[in-house]
Amino acid sequence: MGCQFSVNSKKVRIFDTTLRDGEQAPGIDLTVEQKVTIARKLAELGVDVIEAGFPAAAEGEFIATKKILEEVGDQVEVIGLSRANKQDIDKTIDTGISSIHVFIATSDIHLKYKLKMTREQVLDKIYESVRYAKDHGLIVEYSPEDATRTDKDFLLKAVSTAIEAGADRINIPDTVGVMHPFKFYDLIKDIVSVTKDKIVSVHCHNDFGLATANSIAGVMAGARQVHVTINGIGERAGNASLEEVVMALKKLLGYEVNIKTYKLYETSRLVSELTGVPVPYFKAIVGENAFGHEAGIHVHGVIENPLTYEPISPEEVGNFRRLALGKHSGIHGLKKLLEEQGIYLDDQELREVLNEIKKLAENGQKVNVDVAKEIAIKVSSKKIKV
Ligand code: KIV
Ligand code: ZN
């Protein structure tokens, strides 16, 4: 499944880890049914891979992975996370899955304080675990955890070892989000130079707010798969957000993705509702204000031609344009909002209504269309043509 690779191809695979790395975040605990509901939505959205969970970590994860595979396994690749040991791999195989994401850390800090292993021992584990999974007929994606803090020569050795053992894809995680785009670009170029025909993937965390930028840099350097989550949920500051990465790849760089972008907003809201994690108001693409306008100049521009102040259309991502009223409002926006309510005023009446709105807003009052309507009716009740 999707193992041919060419750096010249414009097609980028979307590997969604909302149900694994996303769910790993503190405070997010989804039931099996909720995970299945999200998986169905992700399949509808058009992701290429769903990381359903970590089957060896908990019984619920095992059951959820199995159920997700039953529900959407015929439409999308379903993968399970596994540590680099036989017990974890066996447990993952027991779900019935045919793709596995095997990881073991490679940075000295993880080797010394967490794994208490030598580099040689880690290389042995990589080889044994990848080989074992391949011998069981699985598609294997290998991740050197904390890759971006790993000594470069050792990282390349770890990657080559995984490939020698038969790994189909190599994923490079920026586990604690310490990359910046130029540095990550150089690193992925080096990785791509040793991976030959294998797909290189990137997995970026957002500790410095650079997860999307780093994911894009990874693709520009030759990665052809990105790990992402809906709304960017995930460990600490989260993972690269699917909606941002997808839209940037598509609109800014001309890459091809399978995603039905008009389903992004509804998918974002479903994940927010089931995880209980609100979507930030200013979130790119799916935030409530992503297509919001209040300032008179902006609203006027958008009414004449939305491209004046919107680089993409809200319809393309299933979001909505929201024209707001406040102290920065201008006459054109007010006119449009009132006319949508069937209220037609002349210029002088509009100015009167606008002044009233500005006064209210300056005194801290929220002015919505209903308030504007009331003022307009007061100013001129004769002109209503509903
Ligand atoms: O961030 C990370 O390193 C991970 C690995 C399990 C790939 O999530
Ligand atoms: Zn991660």
Side-chain angles (χ1 to χ4, degrees):
M1 235 181 221
C3 291
Q4 287 88 28
F5 165 69
S6 157
V7 215
N8 300 321
S9 149
K10 275 296 218 181
K11 167 82 179 55
V12 178
R13 289 160 55 90
I14 303 300
F15 177 120
D16 184 279
T17 183
T18 305
L19 296 172
R20 199 278 297 169
D21 220 345
E23 207 210 355
Q24 243 169 261
I28 303 182
D29 288 300
L30 297 166
T31 64
V32 171
E33 288 68 31
Q34 287 172 325
K35 288 189 74 151
V36 171
T37 304
I38 292 174
R40 276 199 215 105
K41 196 73 184 170
L42 292 171
E44 236 180 71
L45 181 66
V47 304
D48 298 278
V49 189
I50 294 177
E51 189 164 42
F54 187 172
E59 203 47 27
E61 284 289 281
F62 177 84
I63 298 167
T65 305
K66 218 165 136 60
K67 282 245 161 86
I68 288 170
L69 184 67
E70 281 161 19
E71 287 284 331
V72 298
D74 58 339
Q75 303 158 51
V76 54
E77 179 182 337
V78 177
I79 199 164
L81 183 69
S82 169
R83 280 168 295 197
N85 65 57
K86 290 182 181 169
Q87 298 91 295
D88 269 29
I89 296 171
D90 285 340
K91 191 77 185 170
T92 311
I93 291 171
D94 289 346
T95 62
I97 226 161
S98 50
S99 291
I100 193 163
H101 176 193
V102 175
F103 76 100
I104 187 167
T106 46
S107 66
D108 287 339
I109 187 169
H110 276 237
L111 264 61
K112 180 168 180 196
Y113 293 100
K114 189 184 77 176
L115 298 174
K116 306 197 189 312
M117 286 167 77
T118 64
R119 288 184 178 183
E120 272 314 309
Q121 288 170 323
V122 168
L123 291 179
D124 287 347
K125 274 274 174 212
I126 295 170
Y127 191 88
E128 278 166 22
S129 57
V130 171
R131 194 63 254 152
Y132 184 75
K134 282 311 294 175
D135 286 344
H136 284 77
L138 301 175
I139 290 172
V140 181
E141 178 160 330
Y142 166 67
S143 283
E145 192 191 12
D146 207 17
T148 54
R149 290 192 301 176
T150 299
D151 169 77
K152 176 81 81 62
D153 289 341
F154 183 60
L155 179 62
L156 294 177
K157 217 178 253 176
V159 166
S160 303
T161 303
I163 291 173
E164 271 164 39
D168 300 282
R169 303 192 296 251
I170 299 294
N171 175 56
I172 302 298
D174 184 19
T175 303
V176 291
V178 290
M179 284 288 100
H180 62 67
F182 292 168
K183 206 169 167 188
F184 200 48
Y185 178 92
D186 288 344
L187 176 64
I188 298 304
K189 273 258 171 225
D190 288 343
I191 297 288
V192 168
S193 71
V194 298
T195 50
K196 301 185 189 92
D197 60 337
K198 308 293 175 196
I199 289 183
V200 173
S201 170
V202 290
H203 175 113
C204 299
H205 279 273
N206 205 29
D207 298 69
F208 286 87
L210 291 171
T212 296
N214 289 334
S215 304
I216 301 302
V219 171
M220 292 173 83
R224 285 297 175 269
Q225 179 179 276
V226 281
H227 283 205
V228 286
T229 63
I230 299 294
N231 300 332
I233 63 171
E235 292 278 6
R236 305 178 309 282
N239 288 61
S241 118
L242 181 147
E243 46 286 350
E244 292 174 9
V245 170
V246 160
M247 292 312 288
L249 285 177
K250 209 179 147 181
K251 303 294 285 193
L252 302 180
L253 295 157
Y255 286 98
E256 291 157 25
V257 287
N258 277 339
I259 301 297
K260 296 183 181 76
T261 59
Y262 61 91
K263 287 183 179 286
L264 285 171
Y265 182 79
E266 63 189 54
T267 309
S268 155
R269 288 307 174 275
L270 176 76
V271 169
S272 172
E273 191 192 315
L274 296 182
T275 56
V277 179
V279 178
Y281 182 64
F282 290 109
K283 177 88 172 59
I285 318 294
V286 291
E288 288 306 290
N289 196 58
F291 299 92
H293 311 277
E294 177 192 307
I297 296 168
H298 287 223
V299 173
H300 185 197
V302 164
I303 290 170
E304 295 296 323
N305 180 345
L307 289 175
T308 52
Y309 287 103
E310 288 173 356
I312 44 180
S313 75
E315 298 81 25
E316 194 173 348
V317 295
N319 202 340
F320 305 91
R321 180 172 302 120
R322 295 171 181 87
L323 301 183
L325 291 164
K327 67 176 183 177
H328 306 104
S329 290
I331 213 89
H332 291 93
L334 177 64
K335 185 167 189 280
K336 178 162 169 52
L337 281 170
L338 290 176
E339 287 184 0
E340 278 170 7
Q341 303 295 314
I343 301 175
Y344 297 81
L345 303 182
D346 63 31
D347 279 2
Q348 200 199 321
E349 289 164 330
L350 280 169
R351 280 199 192 286
E352 249 181 80
V353 177
L354 189 62
N355 286 342
E356 188 91 11
I357 286 171
K358 284 180 188 257
K359 256 190 248 154
L360 287 175
E362 270 158 7
N363 286 322
Q365 205 171 309
K366 287 265 167 281
V367 187
N368 57 24
V369 182
D370 291 337
V371 175
K373 217 165 133 182
E374 256 176 56
I375 302 169
I377 291 168
K378 207 174 62 192
V379 169
S380 171
S381 53
K382 317 179 277 300
K383 301 252 169 152
I384 303 173
K385 311 178 184 166
V386 190

